[in-house]
Amino acid sequence: MREVYREVGPALVRLTESLGPAPDIIVIVGSGSSNGHAFRTGESFASWVDVLALPTADQIRVFVTHELAHALHYTVNPSLYHSPATFHTVFRKLWTEGVATYLTMRTLACTAEKALWADFLSPEELERWMAACSQNEKELWAELKKQAWQADTGDRFFCVDQRRPLEEWRTGYFCGLKLASLVATEVGMRSMLGLSLSEVERYLEQW
């Protein structure tokens, strides 16, 4: 438990000093099947993390920062958390995961590769995955745009599925980070957090 706070304490300060109030973090001992997410508690948002799903200091640092970024994003823009019309859509997932990954990258001053995977993949696997995403980016965006407002089943763009080739894992995070990086460059990080999905949608025309 102490290691979690030691690894993410400085990141939490950097994440919130210019963007919003610091969210709470709740550490649990779970099944190890999910590393965490953000949730609503009263009028604010907090993040929970499962220490059994984060076996290395690198994964603690990156993925806990990622979950804290979700809570901060929802605090600034709660409509992205609980809007009945969009909560389960691929586009909402694409945007919120992209923003959380982008904020992680900026907060930790790390590479996109590190913000996306920490040390979950070996260097060889990471190189292979990044190359495949870059090579298939046009097709990925076509599929994401086609399914943007459909229900997200979670098994195509945003998960590690051992039944699929490594190159198909979590491709939505790759594209989401591209989208968030573009929007942040144009409007700035603080303004980016307040954008609605309809305001973000126009940026999809870039692909």
Side-chain angles (χ1 to χ4, degrees):
M1 301 291 186
R2 286 193 298 270
E3 184 176 4
V4 172
Y5 290 101
R6 182 174 65 249
E7 292 294 338
V8 304
L12 180 59
V13 172
R14 291 193 297 272
L15 179 65
T16 60
E17 61 187 356
S18 61
L19 295 176
D24 293 327
I25 179 170
I26 298 171
V27 178
I28 67 171
V29 178
S31 65
S33 61
S34 179
N35 57 24
H37 200 57
F39 65 98
R40 187 160 203 158
T41 171
E43 295 301 313
S44 61
F45 291 87
S47 297
W48 65 268
V49 294
D50 180 359
V51 291
L52 293 186
L54 303 170
T56 70
D58 208 27
Q59 289 180 39
I60 290 172
R61 187 163 47 251
V62 170
F63 294 136
V64 174
T65 301
H66 182 101
E67 302 309 338
L68 289 168
H70 275 307
L72 177 63
H73 193 189
Y74 296 148
T75 297
V76 173
N77 193 346
S79 66
L80 289 176
Y81 178 76
H82 62 75
S83 172
T86 63
F87 182 78
H88 294 292
T89 62
V90 169
F91 187 36
R92 189 204 73 90
K93 185 91 166 182
L94 176 75
W95 177 236
T96 57
E97 295 297 352
V99 168
T101 306
Y102 178 81
L103 291 179
T104 298
M105 182 176 69
R106 291 294 302 270
T107 298
L108 299 180
C110 67
T111 63
E113 290 87 344
K114 180 69 71 176
L116 285 160
W117 284 104
D119 60 359
F120 185 86
L121 299 180
S122 71
E124 295 77 15
E125 289 172 331
L126 180 59
E127 183 178 1
R128 204 168 89 220
W129 184 84
M130 289 293 292
C133 287
S134 297
Q135 182 178 349
N136 300 324
E137 187 173 354
K138 183 177 179 180
E139 291 77 13
L140 286 172
W141 277 110
E143 193 170 352
L144 281 162
K145 290 164 70 173
K146 182 179 178 181
Q147 298 185 34
W149 297 107
Q150 297 177 17
D152 165 40
T153 61
D155 60 1
R156 173 62 182 90
F157 300 111
F158 302 104
C159 73
V160 171
D161 186 344
Q162 300 289 346
R163 298 167 299 178
R164 294 177 177 268
L166 175 146
E167 290 84 355
E168 296 182 11
W169 295 355
R170 300 174 82 245
T171 53
Y173 287 82
F174 175 88
C175 292
L177 177 57
K178 290 265 188 173
L179 177 60
S181 298
L182 171 66
V183 176
T185 299
E186 293 211 3
V187 305
M189 281 198 295
R190 177 178 283 275
S191 296
M192 173 181 72
L193 298 181
L195 295 177
S196 66
L197 288 181
S198 60
E199 290 172 315
V200 176
E201 187 177 17
R202 69 182 181 87
Y203 292 95
L204 293 179
E205 298 171 3
Q206 301 290 325
W207 288 277

